[in-house]
Amino acid sequence: MDRATAPTPTAARGTATGMEFTLLGPVSAQCAGRPVVLDGAKQRTVLAALLLARGHVVTDERLTTLLWGEDPPATSTSQLYTYVSRLRTRLGPEHGLERRGAGYAMRTADTTVVDWHTFQTLVAAGRTALREGRAADAERRLAEALDLWQGHPLPDVTDHLCAAETPAMTEAHLTAVELHAEAALALGQHAALVPALTRQVALHPLREGLLAHLMTALYRSGRPSDALTAYESARRMLADNLGTDPTPALRALHHAVLTNTVPAPPTPPAAAPAPVRPGAQPAPSPSATAAGTP
């Protein structure tokens, strides 16, 4: 997680009667609110691979590769069967883990929550809200999505599964960070964004979307020289590492900072007045209160 605003309640973190799984951090499971004990990296790998497949079959061959790579032991088939059998026992009758053809699939019920799936749903909703100009709704949903992250995804599975799945998950996280920053900038939250974006740009110095948001946040916070310094650092790094120049969009932003023409954040729409219940007295306006009006 890396966003500027205070944490908000996340969406659907589990139910009292269903299953809850986490992949955006240490792989874990809960059943009806109680932790499920998992036996080591290989059992976590089987569970994570099935959850990432979202109900589709993961073949025995694929699971074997994710567990042992290209040189599995002679007993890999029986070991895989043991991992699945023990996983069924640990998860209990609601496990949804079933044999299908030459592999396994994990059917999730309506009461099942997988943080990675929730993250994807929230990001899609946030992207749509941003495209439709609903910046506040976009910021809220994207903040909820980023709150689901607990460090690095899948830190306790085999290296084979980690190499296969974490690049796409990390890319999805960075995209969400960029979208959240875009929404927060539209709401005028530039000053609060600077620390988180500075940290992200340090971690991903060649990602120009993050740099553009940082430059904008710095400029709007009255720090144009810092915005220019960030651009120059990125320009040199792009030249040294990739032999390329910044994109036209980033160069245009650099020119806008130099010429003091970076657009100001849009004015947020005025909040609609709260409905007055029948018989209730309307609250005084802030200006009337400040002026001492009763």
Side-chain angles (χ1 to χ4, degrees), residues 76-215:
S76 61
T77 300
S78 61
Q79 287 191 58
L80 175 59
Y81 176 82
T82 299
Y83 291 136
V84 172
S85 178
R86 289 179 178 173
L87 194 55
R88 284 191 177 117
T89 300
R90 292 294 172 84
L91 295 178
E94 303 298 322
H95 57 72
L97 207 172
E98 53 193 34
R99 181 74 177 172
R100 292 190 197 168
Y104 296 92
M106 195 160 186
R107 173 180 41 79
T108 54
D110 292 340
T111 55
T112 301
V113 174
V114 182
D115 60 353
W116 170 237
H117 302 168
T118 304
F119 169 82
Q120 292 174 301
T121 299
L122 286 167
V123 171
R127 189 194 301 271
T128 298
L130 195 56
R131 186 170 59 244
E132 294 175 351
R134 296 180 287 111
D137 189 29
E139 193 280 334
R140 177 179 59 81
R141 291 178 181 273
L142 290 161
E144 290 178 354
L146 292 170
D147 277 348
L148 292 170
W149 286 69
Q150 305 171 45
H152 296 288
L154 309 176
D156 48 359
V157 300
T158 64
D159 291 342
H160 313 293
L161 177 61
C162 191
E165 297 291 348
T166 56
M169 298 173 82
T170 300
E171 173 63 25
H173 177 261
L174 288 172
T175 297
V177 171
E178 290 178 345
L179 290 170
H180 177 263
E182 182 179 346
L185 284 170
L187 295 171
Q189 298 174 0
H190 38 269
L193 275 173
V194 169
L197 284 175
T198 299
R199 185 163 51 251
Q200 286 293 341
V201 168
L203 291 170
H204 310 282
L206 301 180
R207 195 168 182 101
E208 295 188 47
L210 290 172
L211 176 62
H213 291 324
L214 175 60
M215 289 175 63

Side-chain angles (χ1 to χ4, degrees), residues 13-14 18-31 33-41 43-49 51 87 90-91 106 112-116 148 150 152-157:
R13 281 196 180 262
M19 300 291 300
E20 179 184 3
F21 300 97
T22 63
L23 302 176
L24 304 179
V27 176
S28 67
Q30 288 190 16
C31 180
R34 295 187 300 274
V36 174
V37 177
L38 299 174
D39 295 326
Q43 191 174 83
R44 287 181 171 86
T45 295
V46 173
L47 175 61
L51 291 170
L87 194 55
R90 292 294 172 84
L91 295 178
M106 195 160 186
T112 301
V113 174
V114 182
D115 60 353
W116 170 237
L148 292 170
Q150 305 171 45
H152 296 288
L154 309 176
D156 48 359
V157 300

